[in-house]
Amino acid sequence: TQKSKGIKHMDNSEAVRKHQQIMSQQALFERHVQALKKNLSDIEFIVVASDDGFPITHTLADDKDAARKAAMTASLGGLSTSVSEESGLKSAVATTIECEDGLVFSRHVTLDNEKSVELLVACSRHANYAAALWTIKKTINDIIEDFNRGSY
């Protein structure tokens, strides 16, 4: 069997439990997403996704679009970590994509020892790179603080 070969698999019930705990705090994520949108005027959209690529909350008009972007965000996070680890630089915490018409920030958010989410923020070409990055990092710190305080 797989276990006898030393391969460790997450128990499906454990994965479900973590996902349910994160989803039970959806209001916390929604509150911070709305604050981020208010504090950074050049945002095109925001998606908060579970590590396995399911949307938690978003600012998009279409839930199917949010589901697709959530899956891409989780994949980008995994790919970024693979590249950074192969480079000898440990796990990636963020990936920034500079586009012709704007910026895309993908951030891995470690909530506690067991739980984390992915945050995807797309900004228009008018966004100030440094201001956007600072505002996103501050929002992430606020999310982590509220999550660990139980403010949801």
Side-chain angles (χ1 to χ4, degrees), residues 36 93-94 107 119 131-144:
L36 175 57
V93 294
R107 309 278 309 183
L119 174 67
L133 184 58
W134 183 88
T135 305
I136 292 166
K137 284 183 171 184
K138 181 180 181 330
T139 299
I140 289 169
N141 288 337
D142 292 346
I143 289 170
I144 294 167

Side-chain angles (χ1 to χ4, degrees), residues 46-57:
I46 304 167
V47 176
V48 178
S50 62
D51 285 342
D52 50 357
F54 292 98
I56 297 168
T57 190

